[in-house]
Amino acid sequence: MPPRIQRPLQAGHLPVSAHPRLVRRLTTSPPPPPAGPARSRAARWVRRTAVVVGIGAAGYVYDKQFNYSAVTRSLRTGWIGLVCTLDYKINFSPKNADKIDALHERVAKRLRYVIDTNQGLYLKLGQALGLQAALLPKPYREAFGHVFDRAPSVPYALVLDVFRSDLGTTPDELFAAFSHEPLASASIAQVHKAVLRSEVGGEGEQGRVVAVKVQKPAIRAQMDWDLWSYRSLMWLAQRIFDLPMYFVAEYVSSQMRLETSFTHEADNARRCAELLARTPQLKDDVYVPRVFGEAEGCKGGERVMVMEWVDGCRLNDREQLEKWGLSLRECMDIAISLNSAMTFSWGFVHCDPHPGNYLVRPHPTKKGKPQIVLIDHGLYIDLPQTFREEYCTLWRSLFVLDVPKIESIAHKWGIALDANMFASAILLRPSQVKKAAKRRNDEAAEPEKTAYEHQVELKRRLKTMLENEQLIPRELIFLSRCQRMMQANNQLLGSPSSRVNLTAKWASIGYTSSLTGARDLRTVGLRTWLRDRLDAVVFRLTVGVVDLAFWATQIKQCYFGSVRDGNWEDKLQRQMEELAREEFGIEIDDTVFLG
């Protein structure tokens, strides 16, 4: 048998008898090495990051183009609020007592950045903070001092959008002439000058000049987000710092929301004019510009309001007032009387009495006399009847030295201050209605406190003072602001008016009309009737003494020129600064009100 010849295997050929496993092993390409777990996770994270970035970018573009960056502004506010909160929680401690000023400066700069970047309603919130900045550390006073300046305006194209959206027309169709550039710009609106058509205005007057107030279009989209951010931050601050702060948030938010409604503002202006017409002491000396609406054949809406144009200067424009030959004292007397009548007699208060809203012009019918022109009626508060009567009673009690009544009202309002401090806070001048306890000679003087210790003590006192915040009338927030702004207006003009006495006289009018209308001998009895008459005598004597002190200061300043004590309001301010320093360890700087 011949031997079998072994033929070499050609590529791709296998013997028929080859084992199936061998066949699979030789014919199948080796699999690629498996991907490492780190590489697969990295790829997933890259994809997820790309998706998140894409969604975020799309959301940012949409928010900016169609939502006026409302969400972006809130996120910015939340981030800055979180950073400031953590900064305080970590660094406000005894071991960092020498770095407290630097901490305040960092936080103040961040808050200013948010206000300057967000604009809109944040300027209003900044003004609210700025009006309280006199009680805050110096960095906050510097940070909020600019919020009362002119706000940036929006271009005419956006003004057109508001007209088309709200009124279905354009300014050129509605008016005979309309200025494309605004004459004034504030946080939520700007004012343009226009001329009504001859058939508009109810009188057929060709060429009647009007002021057209147009809301900035971003306000509507941003308002809910901005107010939500404000309430959230107040709630967070209360939770973290253990201070009663949130109790004012809802009230302030509701008032700011009303301020953005020009229909509401128009109603306020008309109501103010009606109340003024029923006040004989003021009706000739104060003027409210006429509002043009549907009744006058003129269109208006939630974001557009048309008013009569009235020329005048700011209340604090001393140079112009003297150029017109107007008495500074008469100007301030009318302004203070108007604010006091609103508070004590009307119960309907204009809560933004800065000099730009109290214009002055020569009286159209009384030669050489001033007339106040009241504008910007967006922010008013209604005083409940009970509160108004209590506020009248409080002012009257401060002058007749009725300490039990003063303490009773403070207790009812949930304010834990002694009678003297409460009186000083209401009158905005140091007042002693109750004899203070004298320090014994053998009592050791307290050691000098650090800045940290002063601020811890201030926090403790504020917490005690506001421990019953649910009882505190929210109206006091705005009334205190109005009183301080009126004091600042008087101070800017050299304190020509006896502010406290004028206010007290109007409080007495309110007391008489609201509380003593039926307080005759038969109704209240002999004892109460006699007490009312005695109170009236003491009140007149007290007001007379304060008047003498006021005029003594005025005469001294007039005849001795550079008086070291300055004017009346300057003197009261220094006394209040000293009182705040001694009682609370804080430095008051009221220059934030002077503008």
Side-chain angles (χ1 to χ4, degrees):
M1 185 173 184
R4 298 180 61 182
I5 299 174
Q6 296 284 338
R7 296 181 179 177
L9 295 176
Q10 297 180 2
H13 292 79
L14 291 174
V16 177
S17 60
H19 196 278
R21 291 183 181 175
L22 178 60
V23 173
R24 287 196 299 269
R25 191 179 301 130
L26 294 175
T27 58
T28 306
S29 302
R39 183 177 176 185
S40 62
R41 283 198 298 270
R44 286 197 299 270
W45 277 109
V46 168
R47 289 194 298 270
R48 292 171 182 171
T49 302
V51 171
V52 171
V53 171
I55 294 174
Y60 173 79
V61 171
Y62 176 84
D63 187 46
K64 184 176 182 179
Q65 294 296 324
F66 303 102
N67 201 35
Y68 294 98
S69 298
V71 178
T72 304
R73 290 151 52 88
S74 297
L75 292 175
R76 182 185 296 120
T77 303
W79 169 250
I80 294 297
L82 179 61
V83 171
C84 293
T85 299
L86 293 176
D87 200 356
Y88 264 114
K89 292 297 287 185
I90 294 171
N91 296 307
F92 189 76
S93 63
K95 67 179 182 180
N96 293 322
D98 58 334
K99 300 177 182 177
I100 297 300
D101 290 339
L103 170 63
H104 290 318
E105 188 169 349
R106 289 196 304 272
V107 173
K109 285 181 177 178
R110 293 179 190 129
L111 294 178
R112 175 168 183 165
Y113 163 75
V114 170
I115 292 171
D116 289 348
T117 305
N118 286 354
Q119 293 288 320
L121 284 179
Y122 278 79
L123 286 174
K124 280 289 181 185
L125 295 172
Q127 289 169 7
L129 290 172
L131 289 169
Q132 304 304 322
L135 303 177
L136 298 176
K138 185 178 179 180
Y140 295 96
R141 298 196 292 266
E142 295 174 348
F144 298 129
H146 72 296
V147 295
F148 299 95
D149 298 337
R150 175 186 170 107
S153 60
V154 299
Y156 181 66
L158 295 180
V159 173
L160 283 176
D161 290 342
V162 174
F163 268 82
R164 292 188 180 110
S165 173
D166 281 33
L167 305 182
T169 185
T170 66
D172 292 337
E173 294 171 350
L174 190 59
F175 302 101
F178 187 89
S179 64
H180 287 198
E181 293 297 323
L183 276 71
S185 178
S187 55
I188 65 174
Q190 59 192 45
V191 176
H192 296 256
K193 196 171 186 178
V195 178
L196 290 178
R197 295 185 179 277
S198 59
E199 65 272 14
V200 177
E203 301 171 7
E205 296 183 14
Q206 175 66 36
R208 176 186 278 271
V209 180
V210 293
V212 183
K213 188 173 182 179
V214 184
Q215 188 177 118
K216 297 174 180 177
I219 297 300
R220 174 177 286 180
Q222 295 169 350
M223 180 171 58
D224 289 335
W225 285 94
D226 289 353
L227 295 180
W228 175 81
S229 297
Y230 164 68
R231 292 193 300 270
S232 299
L233 287 178
M234 293 291 283
W235 178 85
L236 181 64
Q238 175 170 296
R239 298 288 293 180
I240 292 177
F241 297 112
D242 194 25
L243 275 175
M245 302 171 70
Y246 186 73
F247 76 98
V248 303
E250 286 293 339
Y251 183 71
V252 172
S253 292
S254 64
Q255 294 300 323
M256 291 185 68
R257 187 179 295 277
L258 288 175
E259 194 175 358
T260 63
S261 169
F262 289 176
T263 302
H264 178 74
E265 180 174 349
D267 291 341
N268 286 343
R270 294 186 180 101
R271 182 179 173 190
C272 178
E274 291 171 2
L275 290 168
L276 190 60
R278 291 157 48 191
T279 308
Q281 301 95 321
L282 293 172
K283 67 179 182 179
D284 291 331
D285 297 326
V286 180
Y287 184 72
V288 176
R290 179 183 176 188
V291 177
F292 293 92
E294 295 293 339
E296 294 80 15
C298 186
K299 288 188 175 182
E302 283 291 308
R303 297 191 294 171
V304 178
M305 185 171 71
V306 182
M307 302 157 288
E308 177 186 0
W309 180 276
V310 179
D311 288 309
C313 72
R314 291 166 63 94
L315 177 61
N316 63 348
D317 191 347
R318 184 170 185 163
E319 182 179 350
Q320 183 62 55
L321 295 176
E322 291 176 344
K323 184 177 179 180
W324 283 335
L326 302 179
S327 166
L328 301 181
R329 182 182 63 80
E330 289 180 355
C331 292
M332 274 311 308
D333 281 355
I334 296 171
I336 292 171
S337 296
L338 174 60
N339 182 71
S340 301
M342 290 178 170
T343 303
F344 299 109
S345 183
W346 301 359
F348 182 62
V349 187
H350 185 298
C351 292
D352 200 9
H354 69 73
N357 289 338
Y358 275 57
L359 303 181
V360 184
R361 67 175 180 177
H363 202 290
T365 59
K366 299 179 181 178
K367 186 176 181 180
K369 296 293 184 180
Q371 186 180 61
I372 296 291
V373 179
L374 186 63
I375 63 173
D376 195 354
H377 300 269
L379 183 58
Y380 275 76
I381 59 170
D382 282 294
L383 303 183
Q385 180 71 13
T386 301
F387 171 80
R388 184 174 67 83
E389 292 176 351
E390 290 171 349
Y391 197 58
C392 291
T393 303
L394 174 61
W395 267 82
R396 195 170 187 271
S397 299
L398 292 172
F399 277 77
V400 300
L401 304 181
D402 187 348
V403 177
K405 177 63 70 174
I406 295 170
E407 292 177 335
S408 172
I409 292 176
H411 177 73
K412 182 177 181 180
W413 288 354
I415 299 176
L417 282 175
D418 65 76
N420 292 333
M421 286 298 298
F422 186 49
S424 301
I426 295 297
L427 296 175
L428 293 179
R429 72 171 195 186
S431 302
Q432 186 171 352
V433 296
K434 184 178 182 180
K435 191 173 182 180
K438 292 184 178 180
R439 182 191 293 269
R440 296 186 320 192
N441 293 331
D442 58 346
E443 283 188 29
E446 293 185 4
E448 184 71 21
K449 293 182 179 180
T450 65
Y452 171 80
E453 290 171 333
H454 271 308
Q455 290 172 37
V456 169
E457 175 65 13
L458 175 60
K459 175 183 174 181
R460 184 190 67 79
R461 290 197 177 198
L462 287 175
K463 188 176 180 180
T464 301
M465 185 177 70
L466 302 175
E467 60 184 354
N468 296 316
E469 75 271 10
Q470 69 276 8
L471 299 177
I472 298 176
R474 300 332 187 226
E475 295 79 12
L476 279 178
I477 301 168
F478 289 102
L479 290 184
S480 300
R481 164 184 170 167
C482 291
Q483 287 291 333
R484 181 57 196 106
M485 293 182 82
M486 273 296 151
Q487 184 185 36
N489 292 335
N490 193 31
Q491 191 173 350
L492 280 167
L493 293 181
S495 302
S497 182
S498 182
R499 173 186 57 85
V500 175
N501 279 20
L502 264 179
T503 307
K505 289 174 183 176
W506 276 98
S508 181
I509 292 173
Y511 181 91
T512 302
S513 62
S514 63
L515 296 182
T516 60
R519 292 169 71 89
D520 54 21
L521 179 62
R522 181 178 178 181
T523 303
V524 300
L526 178 62
R527 182 176 179 178
T528 302
W529 185 85
L530 290 173
R531 178 60 186 268
D532 282 348
R533 271 62 198 165
L534 178 62
D535 284 351
V537 173
V538 175
F539 175 79
R540 284 193 289 269
L541 287 174
T542 307
V543 170
V545 170
V546 177
D547 263 336
L548 286 175
F550 169 76
W551 286 112
T553 303
Q554 296 295 90
I555 293 172
K556 185 179 179 183
Q557 183 181 7
C558 178
Y559 283 97
F560 294 96
S562 57
V563 182
R564 184 176 61 183
D565 287 342
N567 60 51
W568 176 253
E569 295 288 9
D570 289 337
K571 185 176 180 180
L572 294 184
Q573 179 182 328
R574 282 195 295 274
Q575 293 173 350
M576 284 297 290
E577 289 172 357
E578 183 178 351
L579 180 66
R581 191 182 305 114
E582 291 177 355
E583 293 292 329
F584 291 98
I586 58 176
E587 296 289 339
I588 294 181
D589 179 7
D590 279 356
T591 55
V592 295
F593 295 96
L594 304 180

